[in-house]
Amino acid sequence: MSDTTTKNTTQSAPHFPEQVTGMYILARALKNLGVTDVYGLVGIPITEAAYIIQGQGIRFVGFRHEQQAGMAAATHGYVSGKPGVLMTVSSLGFLNGLTATANATVNCYPMVQISGSSVREPIDLEQGTYEGLDQLNIAKPLVKAAYRVNRAEDIPTGVVRAFRAAMSGRPGGVYLDITTPALGQVMDHAAAEALLNTPVDLQPAMLPAPEAVERAVNLLANARKPAILLGKGAAFARVEDLVKELVERTGVPYYPMSMAKGILPDNHPLSALSVRSTIMEQADVVMLVGARLNWLLSRGHGKWNPAGKFIQLDIDPTEIDCNRHIDAPVIGDLRSSLEAILAKLPAKMGMDPQWVPGIQAESKAKNAKFLERLAPQTVPMTHWSALSAAKKVLEANPDVILVNEGANTLDDCRDTIDMSLPRHRIDCATWAIMGMGMGSAIGAAVATGKSVVAIEGDSAFGFSGMDFSTICRFKLPVTVCVFNNGGIYNGIGKPLDNTTDPAPTTLDINARYDKLGDAFGAKTYLVTTPAEFEAALSEAVASKAPALIDVQLAADSGKESGHIGYLNPTPLMDITV
């Protein structure tokens, strides 16, 4: 055989470029944006995507239920300031997660829900297909923004647009729909990597108008009985340094909403936490900082001083005048607005010299009266005697994040436990929904690495209790305390005469919630006295490991809806004993 023949028969093997799918592009797009954690529940069509996300060094926190995964993502967004990411399957998985995304939108938490979805053509023609649901159009009215990706090459653009929408302006939940063909589409690896760019300024500053600042400063400086009302928007915006300067330079008392507790310590000399009614009835100028005049504040009516005037700092101009006339709106991001106001503050305020001493004297008297409620170490425990124990432990460990939900368990805990650090109290917030407990506890622990204590009513725990297993699988430093009084509000409801079924508000006073912890290998406790609860909670927090404490209360501890029983058209006391 000649040399020429040899050369012709030994040609090199053909070279094919490395190829990747849309799922890889999605993982790379998330990594490129700095995402460190994704919450979700796998299944068709996202299972492989979850593995690829893990392969990028992103933690995939797998849940038992999409709603709790979504609550975790929303809480992650709130405590970190960057959008939490939820991934779900199509159809009902998407709908389960959408509950949390809608709640994130209402509460202004930055969050992105990414759901796989079915092939478009049979959905659009309503021909019937696997989990065929028009997810994009269902999500649109419930979220801040919604986008669909049909091609793999558009995935990076879709991810960036979703993050920009979630973070900019007033934060909220965003839905990103990625079809099955886009997830499975194959591209050359080099071409896929070329699609990635690092976005610039996802959360741009929005400066207030100088004349708006001047108007607000003049109104505040000349007020006789001014007050500052802090909302969770101020906590999210991380402006505690500026709020402290504003309060201490002006000497104006402040009232924090529930999740704003800790922006300044609840025991600060200018805290008006105990005298909300006095602030509402007497304040002549109220400055709202990251708070809205919604139902939680009687929409600015009811007990509020009808002659009082409002300053409102908000990033969304459509929030102004939505319930009551706002005399001095300041539209901009809170940091820019507060910096501008502080730069214009006069050296002297026009405040009534008796206003603050009066607030402080009333606060001192009411605080002393409130502590009398906690003094009796009642056995069987009431909410108050149980919370007297939790108060000691949590106030001795101020860097522990408190998650709290229930009816009486929520309201009484909020009143009892003082906070001294911002973003360390997380509860059911604007919509007052139950069922955020385990998800929020997990999101807070994953996002911050801090210890978390969740104080849950027994009814509230029932919404999300199975995801205590997620706490255990990921070995998170979370202690869950279930306040068991055997029912919704309490365990003494009786059915009407024409049925032998339990009353609608009755659960099980003898339930052993600690056994759920045993099932998943957590440290568990059953406590029946305040002293036992204090010892168990101290030990559990110190362990920095999963723990579940069954806190046994008396069945008659609690009343309808805690502080908001008036919202029911027929009071339960008319039909129960």
Side-chain angles (χ1 to χ4, degrees):
M1 183 179 294
S2 68
D3 290 343
T4 302
T5 304
T6 302
K7 289 177 182 179
N8 289 337
T9 58
T10 58
Q11 297 176 358
S12 60
H15 173 72
F16 296 103
E18 181 184 357
Q19 293 186 312
V20 295
T21 64
M23 291 177 280
Y24 172 85
I25 297 171
L26 172 61
R28 290 288 293 121
L30 293 172
K31 181 75 170 179
N32 194 52
L33 278 168
V35 172
T36 56
D37 307 282
V38 171
Y39 305 89
L41 197 161
V42 299
I44 296 172
I46 67 161
T47 303
E48 185 180 347
Y51 279 100
I52 296 171
I53 284 169
Q54 276 190 332
Q56 288 295 311
I58 298 172
R59 194 177 201 184
F60 189 92
V61 184
F63 279 70
R64 297 297 189 103
H65 196 279
E66 293 91 350
Q67 185 185 95
Q68 291 311 302
M71 295 298 180
T75 300
H76 186 119
Y78 172 69
V79 298
S80 72
K82 298 179 180 179
V85 179
L86 165 68
M87 279 191 67
T88 80
V89 300
S90 50
S91 189
L92 294 182
F94 149 77
L95 288 173
N96 289 340
L98 187 62
T99 302
T101 312
N103 187 56
T105 303
V106 169
N107 282 291
C108 310
Y109 304 150
M111 171 187 168
V112 175
Q113 176 179 347
I114 302 172
S115 296
S117 65
S118 296
V119 177
R120 291 302 317 156
E121 290 81 1
I123 293 177
D124 292 339
L125 282 172
E126 298 182 0
Q127 293 175 313
T129 187
Y130 176 74
E131 295 192 345
L133 190 68
D134 193 352
Q135 296 169 197
L136 181 73
N137 285 315
I138 288 171
K140 274 185 176 180
L142 299 174
V143 299
K144 183 181 178 185
Y147 308 101
R148 175 181 290 136
V149 175
N150 293 299
R151 306 183 307 164
E153 55 264 40
D154 293 330
I155 289 175
T157 299
V159 170
V160 169
R161 292 203 68 189
F163 269 64
R164 192 176 292 280
M167 294 178 69
S168 60
R170 171 170 284 180
V174 175
Y175 175 62
L176 182 62
D177 187 282
I178 306 182
T179 63
T180 299
L183 289 169
Q185 183 182 331
V186 175
M187 289 185 65
D188 288 350
H189 181 269
E193 291 291 336
L195 297 170
L196 300 173
N197 292 290
T198 302
V200 176
D201 206 6
L202 288 174
Q203 197 173 28
M206 296 178 63
L207 276 62
E211 60 271 22
V213 172
E214 194 79 35
R215 186 187 305 118
V217 168
N218 288 338
L219 190 56
L220 183 66
N222 291 299
R224 299 293 289 164
K225 295 183 176 182
I228 296 170
L229 200 152
L230 304 174
K232 67 179 180 295
F236 172 77
R238 285 169 165 69
V239 292
E240 49 268 20
D241 57 333
L242 301 180
V243 170
K244 184 177 189 293
E245 184 179 352
L246 175 67
V247 167
E248 294 182 351
R249 275 181 57 184
T250 61
V252 174
Y254 66 92
Y255 177 88
M257 299 298 288
S258 179
M259 284 180 58
K261 284 163 64 71
I263 291 176
L264 289 179
D266 287 346
N267 61 1
H268 189 284
L270 290 170
S271 171
L273 188 61
S274 304
V275 292
R276 169 177 161 135
S277 293
T278 300
I279 293 294
M280 294 172 74
E281 292 166 0
Q282 297 186 29
D284 59 350
V285 172
V286 176
M287 174 182 277
L288 301 167
V289 182
R292 295 175 285 187
L293 281 175
N294 56 20
W295 72 277
L296 290 164
L297 290 170
S298 305
R299 301 185 186 89
H301 300 287
K303 289 183 178 181
W304 287 98
N305 179 0
K309 296 183 177 181
F310 284 88
I311 302 164
Q312 185 167 5
L313 279 58
D314 205 289
I315 202 166
D316 184 358
T318 65
E319 186 63 36
I320 307 302
D321 297 331
C322 69
N323 276 307
R324 177 163 171 167
H325 173 65
I326 302 299
D327 300 87
V330 181
I331 306 303
D333 69 271
L334 285 184
R335 180 158 292 277
S336 297
S337 295
L338 285 168
E339 287 175 344
I341 287 169
L342 287 166
K344 293 289 185 180
L345 275 179
K348 187 175 181 181
M349 303 289 288
M351 191 160 42
D352 180 343
Q354 299 305 312
W355 174 235
V356 171
I359 290 288
Q360 291 173 330
E362 185 182 357
S363 293
K364 183 177 180 181
K366 287 191 171 180
N367 289 341
K369 185 71 174 176
F370 181 81
L371 288 175
E372 293 176 6
R373 232 183 256 192
L374 303 178
Q377 298 297 282
T378 316
V379 180
M381 283 188 284
T382 65
H383 288 84
W384 298 116
S385 58
L387 286 168
S388 72
K391 179 180 177 70
K392 295 174 188 175
V393 177
L394 290 173
E395 291 180 10
N397 295 275
D399 202 32
V400 171
I401 295 174
L402 172 61
V403 173
N404 183 208
E405 64 172 335
N408 297 272
T409 305
L410 169 73
D411 294 326
D412 297 345
C413 182
R414 181 181 60 213
D415 292 344
T416 299
I417 297 175
D418 286 340
M419 308 303 296
S420 57
L421 294 173
R423 297 171 297 281
H424 277 62
R425 178 182 168 84
I426 299 163
D427 61 35
C428 48
T430 302
W431 267 351
I433 62 162
M434 297 299 102
M436 44 67 69
M438 296 303 95
S440 289
I442 292 165
V446 170
T448 67
K450 295 183 177 184
S451 294
V452 177
V453 169
I455 297 182
E456 302 269 310
D458 53 338
S459 171
F461 180 69
F463 286 85
S464 65
M466 197 62 187
D467 264 306
F468 182 74
S469 67
T470 304
I471 293 170
C472 297
R473 275 185 292 120
F474 286 86
K475 298 179 174 59
L476 299 175
V478 177
T479 299
V480 177
C481 309
V482 182
F483 279 27
N484 181 21
N485 65 353
I488 302 170
Y489 313 133
N490 57 53
I492 59 173
K494 286 190 176 181
L496 298 180
D497 292 339
N498 61 348
T499 181
T500 58
D501 289 338
T505 55
T506 300
L507 297 174
D508 186 356
I509 192 64
N510 297 311
R512 290 290 303 274
Y513 293 100
D514 55 313
K515 297 297 185 182
L516 181 64
D518 288 338
F520 299 113
K523 179 68 174 176
T524 62
Y525 308 82
L526 173 66
V527 299
T528 59
T529 71
E532 289 175 354
F533 183 26
E534 181 183 351
L537 185 55
S538 295
E539 181 180 296
V541 169
S543 75
K544 297 186 179 298
L548 197 155
I549 305 176
D550 188 329
V551 184
Q552 186 62 56
L553 304 186
D556 61 355
S557 180
K559 59 184 179 179
E560 178 203 3
S561 295
H563 295 342
I564 56 172
Y566 66 89
L567 293 177
N568 271 342
T570 303
L572 283 182
M573 66 280 293
D574 291 348
I575 57 173
T576 61
V577 296

